[in-house]
Amino acid sequence: MAAPDRPGRAGASLSRVSGRGSVADDEPAMVRPTVPEADELIGVRHPVLSHGFVALVDYMGNDAAIVQAARVSYGKGTKSVRDDRALLRYLMRHRHTTPFEMVEYKFLVRMPIYVARQFVRHRTASINEYSARYSIVPDEYEIPPVEEVRQQSTRNRQGRGDALPKEVVDKFRADLERISQESYRDYTAALTAGVARETARLLLPVAYYTQWYWKSNLHNLFHFLSLRLDPNAQEEIRLFAVEMAKIGRVVAPIAFEAFEEFQLSSLTLSRREQRAVRLLLEGQTAEAACAAAGLPLVREDGQRMKTGEGVEFLEKLEDLRSPD
Ligand SMILES: Cc1cc2nc3c(=O)[nH]c(=O)nc-3n(C[C@H](O)[C@H](O)[C@H](O)COP(=O)(O)OP(=O)(O)OC[C@H]3O[C@@H](n4cnc5c(N)ncnc54)[C@H](O)[C@@H]3O)c2cc1C
Protein backbone atom coordinates (compact mmCIF):
# COMPACT_ATOMS: atom_id res chain seq x y z
CA MET A 1 0.00 0.00 0.00
CA ALA A 2 1.33 3.40 -0.89
CA ALA A 3 2.51 5.65 1.88
CA PRO A 4 1.20 9.18 1.88
CA ASP A 5 3.48 11.84 0.57
CA ARG A 6 6.46 12.79 2.72
CA PRO A 7 5.22 14.51 5.89
CA GLY A 8 6.22 18.12 5.91
CA ARG A 9 6.38 18.46 2.15
CA ALA A 10 3.27 20.61 2.08
CA GLY A 11 4.97 23.18 4.27
CA ALA A 12 8.54 22.95 2.93
CA SER A 13 10.54 25.93 1.73
CA LEU A 14 9.98 27.20 -1.77
CA SER A 15 13.58 28.24 -2.28
CA ARG A 16 14.10 25.46 -4.85
CA VAL A 17 11.42 26.78 -7.12
CA SER A 18 11.69 30.47 -6.52
CA GLY A 19 12.32 32.44 -9.67
CA ARG A 20 11.02 35.89 -10.31
CA GLY A 21 9.00 37.41 -7.50
CA SER A 22 9.11 36.55 -3.85
CA VAL A 23 7.91 33.32 -2.27
CA ALA A 24 7.25 32.90 1.39
CA ASP A 25 8.99 30.13 3.30
CA ASP A 26 5.71 28.84 4.70
CA GLU A 27 3.98 28.45 1.32
CA PRO A 28 3.55 24.98 -0.18
CA ALA A 29 6.53 23.50 -2.03
CA MET A 30 6.00 23.25 -5.80
CA VAL A 31 7.02 19.63 -6.01
CA ARG A 32 4.96 17.25 -8.10
CA PRO A 33 3.57 14.66 -5.69
CA THR A 34 4.14 11.09 -6.81
CA VAL A 35 3.35 7.67 -5.40
CA PRO A 36 6.03 5.12 -6.39
CA GLU A 37 3.58 2.21 -6.11
CA ALA A 38 1.18 4.00 -8.48
CA ASP A 39 4.00 4.77 -10.93
CA GLU A 40 4.66 1.04 -11.12
CA LEU A 41 1.01 0.45 -12.03
CA ILE A 42 1.02 2.75 -15.04
CA GLY A 43 0.24 0.79 -18.18
CA VAL A 44 -0.45 -2.45 -16.31
CA ARG A 45 -3.63 -4.08 -17.63
CA HIS A 46 -5.97 -5.44 -14.98
CA PRO A 47 -8.12 -8.02 -16.80
CA VAL A 48 -11.91 -7.77 -16.47
CA LEU A 49 -14.42 -10.12 -18.20
CA SER A 50 -13.25 -12.09 -21.28
CA HIS A 51 -11.43 -9.38 -23.24
CA GLY A 52 -11.66 -6.26 -21.06
CA PHE A 53 -9.20 -4.51 -18.81
CA VAL A 54 -8.57 -1.39 -16.78
CA ALA A 55 -5.14 0.29 -16.87
CA LEU A 56 -3.92 3.41 -15.13
CA VAL A 57 -2.51 5.74 -17.80
CA ASP A 58 -1.65 8.68 -15.56
CA TYR A 59 -2.56 10.31 -12.29
CA MET A 60 -2.12 13.66 -10.60
CA GLY A 61 -1.92 14.21 -6.85
CA ASN A 62 -2.16 11.93 -3.84
CA ASP A 63 -3.43 12.08 -0.25
CA ALA A 64 -1.03 14.93 0.50
CA ALA A 65 -2.42 17.00 -2.39
CA ILE A 66 -5.89 16.76 -0.84
CA VAL A 67 -4.54 17.76 2.55
CA GLN A 68 -2.58 20.61 1.02
CA ALA A 69 -5.67 21.94 -0.78
CA ALA A 70 -7.71 21.71 2.42
CA ARG A 71 -5.07 23.67 4.31
CA VAL A 72 -5.60 26.53 1.90
CA SER A 73 -9.07 26.67 3.47
CA TYR A 74 -8.11 25.93 7.02
CA GLY A 75 -4.71 27.56 7.22
CA LYS A 76 -1.56 25.81 8.33
CA GLY A 77 -2.32 22.63 10.16
CA THR A 78 -0.29 19.93 11.73
CA LYS A 79 1.67 17.79 9.36
CA SER A 80 1.91 14.33 10.85
CA VAL A 81 0.41 11.42 8.94
CA ARG A 82 -2.06 10.89 11.79
CA ASP A 83 -3.34 14.44 11.46
CA ASP A 84 -3.53 14.09 7.69
CA ARG A 85 -5.75 11.06 8.19
CA ALA A 86 -7.93 12.96 10.67
CA LEU A 87 -8.26 15.87 8.24
CA LEU A 88 -9.19 13.60 5.32
CA ARG A 89 -11.78 11.83 7.46
CA TYR A 90 -13.16 15.21 8.57
CA LEU A 91 -13.43 16.39 4.95
CA MET A 92 -15.25 13.23 3.91
CA ARG A 93 -17.58 13.25 6.93
CA HIS A 94 -18.57 16.84 6.36
CA ARG A 95 -18.80 16.56 2.56
CA HIS A 96 -16.12 19.16 2.05
CA THR A 97 -15.55 17.72 -1.40
CA THR A 98 -13.43 20.11 -3.46
CA PRO A 99 -10.05 19.07 -1.95
CA PHE A 100 -10.71 15.57 -3.35
CA GLU A 101 -10.98 17.10 -6.81
CA MET A 102 -7.24 17.86 -6.63
CA VAL A 103 -6.50 14.21 -7.44
CA GLU A 104 -7.05 13.04 -11.03
CA TYR A 105 -6.97 9.63 -12.69
CA LYS A 106 -6.71 8.73 -16.35
CA PHE A 107 -7.67 5.14 -17.09
CA LEU A 108 -7.67 3.14 -20.30
CA VAL A 109 -10.74 0.90 -20.14
CA ARG A 110 -11.76 -1.83 -22.55
CA MET A 111 -15.29 -3.08 -22.06
CA PRO A 112 -18.30 -4.47 -23.98
CA ILE A 113 -20.51 -1.80 -25.53
CA TYR A 114 -23.40 -2.64 -23.16
CA VAL A 115 -21.11 -1.86 -20.21
CA ALA A 116 -19.80 1.28 -21.92
CA ARG A 117 -23.40 2.52 -22.11
CA GLN A 118 -23.52 2.42 -18.31
CA PHE A 119 -20.11 4.08 -17.91
CA VAL A 120 -21.08 6.93 -20.19
CA ARG A 121 -23.95 7.94 -17.90
CA HIS A 122 -21.34 9.36 -15.52
CA ARG A 123 -21.19 12.77 -17.13
CA THR A 124 -18.45 14.20 -14.97
CA ALA A 125 -15.80 11.95 -16.55
CA SER A 126 -13.87 13.04 -19.66
CA ILE A 127 -13.95 10.34 -22.30
CA ASN A 128 -12.15 9.70 -25.56
CA GLU A 129 -13.34 6.55 -27.34
CA TYR A 130 -11.76 4.28 -29.93
CA SER A 131 -13.45 5.28 -33.17
CA ALA A 132 -15.20 2.60 -35.18
CA ARG A 133 -15.51 5.25 -37.91
CA TYR A 134 -11.73 5.27 -38.38
CA SER A 135 -10.72 1.79 -37.27
CA ILE A 136 -11.93 -1.75 -37.80
CA VAL A 137 -13.57 -3.21 -34.69
CA PRO A 138 -11.64 -6.27 -33.43
CA ASP A 139 -13.51 -9.57 -33.34
CA GLU A 140 -13.99 -9.65 -29.58
CA TYR A 141 -17.33 -10.05 -27.85
CA GLU A 142 -18.56 -11.01 -24.41
CA ILE A 143 -20.20 -14.34 -23.64
CA PRO A 144 -21.23 -14.31 -19.98
CA PRO A 145 -19.99 -17.30 -17.96
CA VAL A 146 -22.56 -20.00 -17.16
CA GLU A 147 -23.14 -18.79 -13.59
CA GLU A 148 -23.98 -15.24 -14.79
CA VAL A 149 -26.83 -16.34 -17.09
CA ARG A 150 -29.67 -16.41 -14.57
CA GLN A 151 -33.39 -15.75 -14.21
CA GLN A 152 -34.93 -12.30 -14.12
CA SER A 153 -34.92 -11.21 -10.47
CA THR A 154 -38.34 -11.12 -8.83
CA ARG A 155 -37.14 -8.46 -6.35
CA ASN A 156 -35.17 -6.12 -8.55
CA ARG A 157 -36.73 -5.44 -11.94
CA GLN A 158 -33.30 -4.57 -13.30
CA GLY A 159 -31.37 -7.49 -11.87
CA ARG A 160 -30.82 -11.20 -12.22
CA GLY A 161 -31.90 -13.77 -9.68
CA ASP A 162 -31.93 -17.54 -9.32
CA ALA A 163 -30.19 -20.14 -11.49
CA LEU A 164 -31.74 -21.35 -14.75
CA PRO A 165 -31.95 -24.90 -16.10
CA LYS A 166 -28.71 -25.89 -17.82
CA GLU A 167 -30.35 -26.27 -21.26
CA VAL A 168 -31.67 -22.67 -21.12
CA VAL A 169 -28.22 -21.34 -20.19
CA ASP A 170 -26.50 -23.41 -22.86
CA LYS A 171 -28.95 -22.31 -25.56
CA PHE A 172 -28.59 -18.64 -24.63
CA ARG A 173 -24.80 -18.80 -24.71
CA ALA A 174 -24.81 -20.74 -28.01
CA ASP A 175 -27.23 -18.22 -29.57
CA LEU A 176 -25.04 -15.32 -28.46
CA GLU A 177 -21.94 -17.02 -29.86
CA ARG A 178 -23.67 -17.71 -33.18
CA ILE A 179 -25.15 -14.24 -33.56
CA SER A 180 -21.83 -12.59 -32.69
CA GLN A 181 -19.92 -14.67 -35.22
CA GLU A 182 -22.54 -14.14 -37.94
CA SER A 183 -22.58 -10.41 -37.26
CA TYR A 184 -18.81 -10.16 -37.51
CA ARG A 185 -18.81 -12.16 -40.74
CA ASP A 186 -21.41 -9.77 -42.19
CA TYR A 187 -19.46 -6.76 -40.86
CA THR A 188 -16.27 -7.95 -42.57
CA ALA A 189 -18.18 -8.68 -45.78
CA ALA A 190 -19.72 -5.19 -45.73
CA LEU A 191 -16.25 -3.61 -45.29
CA THR A 192 -14.90 -5.72 -48.15
CA ALA A 193 -17.83 -4.62 -50.34
CA GLY A 194 -16.86 -1.01 -49.69
CA VAL A 195 -19.39 0.01 -47.02
CA ALA A 196 -17.93 2.78 -44.85
CA ARG A 197 -16.66 1.67 -41.45
CA GLU A 198 -19.02 4.11 -39.72
CA THR A 199 -21.99 2.37 -41.40
CA ALA A 200 -20.78 -1.24 -41.37
CA ARG A 201 -20.45 -1.13 -37.57
CA LEU A 202 -24.25 -1.05 -37.27
CA LEU A 203 -24.12 -4.80 -37.83
CA LEU A 204 -22.28 -5.42 -34.54
CA PRO A 205 -24.21 -6.24 -31.35
CA VAL A 206 -23.63 -4.61 -27.96
CA ALA A 207 -21.65 -7.64 -26.75
CA TYR A 208 -18.72 -6.36 -28.88
CA TYR A 209 -15.91 -4.49 -27.16
CA THR A 210 -14.94 -0.85 -27.29
CA GLN A 211 -12.29 1.07 -25.39
CA TRP A 212 -11.63 4.57 -24.19
CA TYR A 213 -9.64 6.89 -22.04
CA TRP A 214 -11.72 7.74 -18.99
CA LYS A 215 -10.48 10.63 -16.85
CA SER A 216 -12.04 11.70 -13.60
CA ASN A 217 -11.12 13.51 -10.42
CA LEU A 218 -11.27 11.62 -7.14
CA HIS A 219 -14.49 13.24 -5.94
CA ASN A 220 -16.31 12.09 -9.08
CA LEU A 221 -14.56 8.73 -9.03
CA PHE A 222 -15.94 8.21 -5.51
CA HIS A 223 -19.42 9.06 -6.79
CA PHE A 224 -19.01 6.59 -9.67
CA LEU A 225 -17.74 3.90 -7.30
CA SER A 226 -20.51 4.44 -4.75
CA LEU A 227 -23.05 3.76 -7.52
CA ARG A 228 -21.23 1.04 -9.41
CA LEU A 229 -19.78 -0.96 -6.50
CA ASP A 230 -23.29 -1.23 -5.10
CA PRO A 231 -24.80 -4.75 -5.23
CA ASN A 232 -27.67 -3.28 -7.30
CA ALA A 233 -25.29 -2.29 -10.10
CA GLN A 234 -24.95 -4.75 -12.98
CA GLU A 235 -22.28 -7.32 -12.18
CA GLU A 236 -20.19 -6.53 -15.27
CA ILE A 237 -19.71 -2.83 -14.51
CA ARG A 238 -19.17 -3.74 -10.86
CA LEU A 239 -16.15 -5.80 -11.88
CA PHE A 240 -14.68 -2.77 -13.65
CA ALA A 241 -15.44 -0.57 -10.63
CA VAL A 242 -13.65 -3.05 -8.36
CA GLU A 243 -10.46 -2.80 -10.44
CA MET A 244 -10.69 1.00 -10.65
CA ALA A 245 -11.09 1.17 -6.87
CA LYS A 246 -8.05 -1.07 -6.37
CA ILE A 247 -5.93 1.18 -8.59
CA GLY A 248 -7.40 4.40 -7.19
CA ARG A 249 -6.59 3.31 -3.66
CA VAL A 250 -2.89 2.99 -4.45
CA VAL A 251 -2.77 6.69 -5.39
CA ALA A 252 -4.71 7.98 -2.37
CA PRO A 253 -5.04 5.22 0.27
CA ILE A 254 -6.14 7.40 3.17
CA ALA A 255 -8.82 9.15 1.11
CA PHE A 256 -10.11 5.72 0.04
CA GLU A 257 -10.18 4.58 3.65
CA ALA A 258 -12.34 7.63 4.49
CA PHE A 259 -14.56 6.99 1.45
CA GLU A 260 -15.18 3.41 2.55
CA GLU A 261 -15.93 4.48 6.09
CA PHE A 262 -18.21 7.46 5.48
CA GLN A 263 -19.72 6.80 2.05
CA LEU A 264 -19.50 3.23 0.87
CA SER A 265 -20.26 1.54 4.19
CA SER A 266 -22.50 4.22 5.64
CA LEU A 267 -26.24 3.88 6.09
CA THR A 268 -28.79 6.62 5.62
CA LEU A 269 -32.07 6.66 7.47
CA SER A 270 -35.07 8.55 6.17
CA ARG A 271 -37.35 10.42 8.58
CA ARG A 272 -39.78 7.49 8.70
CA GLU A 273 -36.94 5.05 9.22
CA GLN A 274 -35.65 7.12 12.13
CA ARG A 275 -39.16 7.03 13.60
CA ALA A 276 -39.19 3.24 13.22
CA VAL A 277 -35.76 2.96 14.88
CA ARG A 278 -37.03 5.02 17.83
CA LEU A 279 -39.98 2.61 18.19
CA LEU A 280 -37.65 -0.39 17.97
CA LEU A 281 -35.50 1.09 20.74
CA GLU A 282 -38.68 1.44 22.80
CA GLY A 283 -39.18 -2.32 22.43
CA GLN A 284 -41.67 -2.60 19.58
CA THR A 285 -41.34 -5.41 17.02
CA ALA A 286 -40.03 -4.54 13.56
CA GLU A 287 -43.47 -5.21 12.07
CA ALA A 288 -45.22 -2.91 14.54
CA ALA A 289 -42.55 -0.22 14.24
CA CYS A 290 -42.80 -0.26 10.44
CA ALA A 291 -46.60 -0.06 10.53
CA ALA A 292 -46.56 2.85 13.00
CA ALA A 293 -43.82 4.69 11.12
CA GLY A 294 -45.57 4.46 7.75
CA LEU A 295 -43.23 1.88 6.21
CA PRO A 296 -45.66 -0.64 4.70
CA LEU A 297 -44.77 -4.33 4.55
CA VAL A 298 -48.16 -5.73 3.49
CA ARG A 299 -50.25 -4.84 0.43
CA GLU A 300 -53.95 -3.95 0.64
CA ASP A 301 -54.84 -7.48 -0.54
CA GLY A 302 -52.88 -8.91 2.43
CA GLN A 303 -49.92 -10.06 0.33
CA ARG A 304 -46.45 -9.54 1.78
CA MET A 305 -44.55 -6.87 -0.18
CA LYS A 306 -41.32 -7.83 -1.95
CA THR A 307 -40.11 -4.31 -2.58
CA GLY A 308 -40.68 -0.82 -1.21
CA GLU A 309 -39.60 1.38 1.68
CA GLY A 310 -40.64 -1.04 4.42
CA VAL A 311 -38.81 -3.97 2.85
CA GLU A 312 -35.69 -1.87 2.29
CA PHE A 313 -35.78 -0.73 5.93
CA LEU A 314 -35.86 -4.36 7.12
CA GLU A 315 -32.90 -5.05 4.82
CA LYS A 316 -30.99 -2.20 6.47
CA LEU A 317 -31.72 -3.72 9.89
CA GLU A 318 -30.53 -7.09 8.60
CA ASP A 319 -27.31 -5.51 7.33
CA LEU A 320 -26.76 -3.91 10.74
CA ARG A 321 -27.18 -7.28 12.45
CA SER A 322 -24.73 -9.08 10.18
CA PRO A 323 -21.02 -8.76 10.94
CA ASP A 324 -18.80 -6.72 8.55
C1 LIG B 1 -28.23 0.61 -10.31
C2 LIG B 1 -28.41 1.65 -11.37
C3 LIG B 1 -29.48 1.55 -12.25
C4 LIG B 1 -29.68 2.51 -13.25
N1 LIG B 1 -30.71 2.38 -14.13
C5 LIG B 1 -30.90 3.30 -15.12
C6 LIG B 1 -31.95 3.17 -16.05
O1 LIG B 1 -32.75 2.26 -16.00
N2 LIG B 1 -32.07 4.10 -17.04
C7 LIG B 1 -31.21 5.16 -17.12
O2 LIG B 1 -31.36 5.99 -18.02
N3 LIG B 1 -30.19 5.31 -16.25
C8 LIG B 1 -30.01 4.41 -15.25
N4 LIG B 1 -28.96 4.54 -14.38
C9 LIG B 1 -28.07 5.69 -14.52
C10 LIG B 1 -28.36 6.74 -13.44
O3 LIG B 1 -29.66 7.25 -13.57
C11 LIG B 1 -27.35 7.88 -13.54
O4 LIG B 1 -27.46 8.48 -14.80
C12 LIG B 1 -25.93 7.39 -13.38
O5 LIG B 1 -25.81 6.57 -12.24
C13 LIG B 1 -25.00 8.59 -13.23
O6 LIG B 1 -25.27 9.21 -12.00
P1 LIG B 1 -25.03 10.76 -11.79
O7 LIG B 1 -25.90 11.54 -12.71
O8 LIG B 1 -25.21 11.02 -10.32
O9 LIG B 1 -23.48 10.87 -12.16
P2 LIG B 1 -22.70 11.95 -13.02
O10 LIG B 1 -23.30 12.10 -14.36
O11 LIG B 1 -21.24 11.56 -12.92
O12 LIG B 1 -22.92 13.27 -12.24
C14 LIG B 1 -22.37 13.47 -10.93
C15 LIG B 1 -23.20 14.49 -10.23
O13 LIG B 1 -23.04 15.73 -10.94
C16 LIG B 1 -24.28 16.42 -11.01
N5 LIG B 1 -24.69 16.56 -12.41
C17 LIG B 1 -24.00 16.13 -13.51
N6 LIG B 1 -24.64 16.50 -14.63
C18 LIG B 1 -25.76 17.15 -14.23
C19 LIG B 1 -26.84 17.74 -14.92
N7 LIG B 1 -26.90 17.80 -16.25
N8 LIG B 1 -27.82 18.29 -14.20
C20 LIG B 1 -27.79 18.27 -12.86
N9 LIG B 1 -26.80 17.73 -12.13
C21 LIG B 1 -25.79 17.17 -12.82
C22 LIG B 1 -25.28 15.59 -10.19
O14 LIG B 1 -25.24 16.00 -8.86
C23 LIG B 1 -24.70 14.20 -10.25
O15 LIG B 1 -25.08 13.37 -9.17
C24 LIG B 1 -28.77 3.60 -13.37
C25 LIG B 1 -27.69 3.70 -12.47
C26 LIG B 1 -27.51 2.73 -11.49
C27 LIG B 1 -26.33 2.85 -10.56
Side-chain angles (χ1 to χ4, degrees), residues 219-230:
H219 168 64
N220 289 316
L221 179 64
F222 282 153
H223 183 68
F224 169 83
L225 293 176
S226 67
L227 290 167
R228 299 303 179 177
L229 288 174
D230 189 277

Side-chain angles (χ1 to χ4, degrees), residues 143-144 146 149 164-179:
I143 305 284
V146 170
V149 182
L164 282 163
K166 183 176 179 308
E167 60 274 19
V168 176
V169 175
D170 290 348
K171 179 172 183 329
F172 172 79
R173 296 179 79 242
D175 285 349
L176 187 53
E177 186 83 52
R178 176 179 49 75
I179 285 167

Side-chain angles (χ1 to χ4, degrees), residues 83-154:
D83 288 334
D84 286 357
R85 174 173 275 112
L87 178 56
L88 283 167
R89 289 171 75 86
Y90 174 88
L91 296 173
M92 186 65 74
R93 267 196 329 276
H94 293 274
R95 293 193 286 178
H96 184 4
T97 53
T98 47
F100 295 99
E101 294 174 25
M102 300 301 150
V103 180
E104 291 266 344
Y105 297 83
K106 183 159 72 176
F107 293 104
L108 179 63
V109 191
R110 179 158 182 74
M111 76 241 103
I113 293 166
Y114 70 97
V115 177
R117 288 182 60 172
Q118 297 181 328
F119 261 94
V120 83
R121 300 309 309 278
H122 296 269
R123 296 159 289 180
T124 45
S126 304
I127 295 176
N128 227 84
E129 188 173 7
Y130 175 95
S131 173
R133 296 181 69 196
Y134 285 102
S135 310
I136 294 173
V137 177
D139 187 14
E140 287 179 353
Y141 48 89
E142 183 63 21
I143 305 284
V146 170
E147 62 277 11
E148 290 302 337
V149 182
R150 301 201 299 270
Q151 280 180 37
Q152 174 61 43
S153 164
T154 49

